């Protein structure tokens, strides 16, 4: 969808007619956005390209979302267009609320803290804070492991809560879950230290291992449920 708008020039105060492609989703409620605008201005914008900071003119549009009833600012940069000559495309929309991730209800019930910490680490990653998000995924791992074990061994909950993660991981009977947890912990520790022991791996691998862990936990719970069905 391309919309036509008249924007004010920040320097001259004059009006400039132009075309732009509105953001497709509201950054606050993440609903499909219809492109409704309240005001707009052409003003300087700083961006980084190939490691170099550059300045250019950008279109700032104050939008209004009819779904959540909140306003936000869309920032747009120029791009060539075959039919219109020049169109402004979306760069970023602010402020932004992280879109909730979808976790299986059984995982959310087992370890709500894991879900919350994982979502915060994911939000850091989405904002390009990739030097710290790995530590968040490592913390999420610890809560998932301990909540998983505490559910299995409630009589040892205090001990499990206080012991080191490595000791908790050694308690896990399921080999697949144990292996994924152990390797995730190794990579998570690398994310917190000056030098890495496991080159070639990153927070992306921790995320993949956590996803596999939750899948194996769900498979295990499904099997346990099946065993509860009596033979008749």
């Amino acid at each position: 969808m391309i919309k036509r708008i008249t924007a004010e020039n920040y320097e001259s105060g004059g009006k400039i007619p132009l075309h732009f492609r509105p953001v497709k989703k509201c950054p606050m409620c993440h609903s499909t956005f219809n492109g409704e605008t309240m005001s707009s201005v052409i003003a300087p914008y700083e961006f980084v390209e190939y490691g170099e900071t550059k300045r250019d003119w950008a279109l700032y549009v104050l939008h209004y979302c009819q779904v959540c009833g909140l306003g936000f600012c869309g920032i747009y940069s120029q791009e060539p267009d075959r039919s219109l000559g020049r169109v402004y495309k979306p760069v970023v929309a602010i402020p932004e609320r992280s879109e909730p991730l979808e976790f299986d209800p059984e995982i959310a019930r087992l370890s709500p803290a894991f879900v919350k910490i994982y979502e915060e680490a994911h939000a850091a990653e989405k904002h390009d804070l990739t030097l710290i998000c790995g530590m968040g995924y490592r913390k999420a791992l610890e809560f998932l492991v301990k909540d998983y074990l505490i559910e299995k061994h409630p009589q040892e909950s205090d001990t499990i809560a206080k012991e080191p993660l490595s000791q908790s991981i050694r308690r896990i009977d399921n080999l697949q879950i144990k292996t994924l947890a152990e390797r995730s912990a190794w990579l998570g520790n690398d994310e917190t230290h000056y030098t890495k022991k496991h080159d070639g791996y990153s927070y992306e691998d921790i995320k993949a291992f956590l996803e596999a862990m939750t899948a194996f936990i769900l498979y295990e719970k499904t099997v346990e449920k099946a065993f509860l069905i009596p033979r008749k």
Side-chain angles (χ1 to χ4, degrees):
M1 174 178 62
I2 295 179
K3 296 194 70 173
R4 182 178 175 85
I5 195 172
T6 300
E8 180 179 347
N9 186 291
Y10 170 77
E11 286 190 332
S12 68
K15 303 293 185 179
I16 305 173
L18 49 83
H19 294 86
F20 76 110
R21 291 187 175 90
V23 296
K24 296 181 179 180
K25 295 174 67 176
C26 170
M28 301 298 287
C29 69
H30 306 285
S31 300
T32 301
F33 181 60
N34 65 1
E36 184 170 338
T37 65
M38 292 188 282
S39 62
S40 58
V41 62
I42 296 290
Y45 178 69
E46 255 189 14
F47 63 97
V48 177
E49 185 175 73
Y50 303 113
E52 182 182 352
T53 301
K54 299 182 178 180
R55 289 175 64 91
D56 197 358
W57 290 92
L59 170 65
Y60 294 76
V61 181
L62 182 60
H63 289 293
Y64 175 75
C65 176
Q66 293 184 341
V67 177
C68 64
L70 296 174
F72 65 91
C73 179
I75 303 176
Y76 302 82
S77 65
Q78 300 180 54
E79 69 173 7
D81 183 86
R82 184 173 300 177
S83 59
L84 298 172
R86 181 183 298 170
V87 172
Y88 284 81
K89 63 178 180 180
V91 175
V92 67
I94 52 176
E96 179 183 19
R97 289 178 181 166
S98 296
E99 191 168 4
L101 301 176
E102 291 187 6
F103 284 91
D104 188 281
E106 189 63 32
I107 296 297
R109 182 203 61 78
L110 171 69
S111 185
F114 160 73
V115 172
K116 178 63 176 174
I117 297 166
Y118 188 102
E119 287 180 334
E120 290 189 3
H122 181 72
E125 179 189 347
K126 294 293 285 184
H127 285 86
D128 293 324
L129 302 178
T130 55
L131 295 180
I132 64 171
C133 67
M135 291 182 281
Y137 291 125
R138 161 61 175 77
K139 185 173 182 177
L141 164 71
E142 181 158 345
F143 275 76
L144 178 62
V145 167
K146 290 183 178 291
D147 287 340
Y148 167 77
L149 289 170
I150 288 171
E151 183 179 69
K152 286 183 171 296
H153 310 287
Q155 71 282 0
E156 299 181 62
S157 60
D158 288 343
T159 302
I160 293 170
K162 296 175 183 177
E163 69 188 12
L165 175 60
S166 59
Q167 192 170 333
S168 293
I169 291 174
R170 286 195 289 271
R171 292 175 178 266
I172 300 175
D173 295 325
N174 185 303
L175 180 59
Q176 289 91 347
I177 296 174
K178 184 176 185 177
T179 301
L180 289 164
E182 183 180 57
R183 271 51 173 188
S184 297
W186 293 353
L187 301 184
N189 290 339
D190 275 352
E191 294 292 322
T192 67
H193 295 149
Y194 190 83
T195 58
K196 281 190 172 186
K197 292 183 178 180
H198 307 89
D199 290 329
Y201 297 92
S202 72
Y203 66 88
E204 291 281 2
D205 298 287
I206 305 175
K207 288 173 59 181
F209 293 166
L210 286 173
E211 182 178 345
M213 273 185 67
T214 58
F216 276 113
I217 290 172
L218 290 172
Y219 294 153
E220 189 178 81
K221 287 184 171 296
T222 301
V223 173
E224 290 171 354
K225 184 177 180 180
F227 272 121
L228 294 175
I229 301 175
R231 184 185 297 274
K232 293 185 177 180

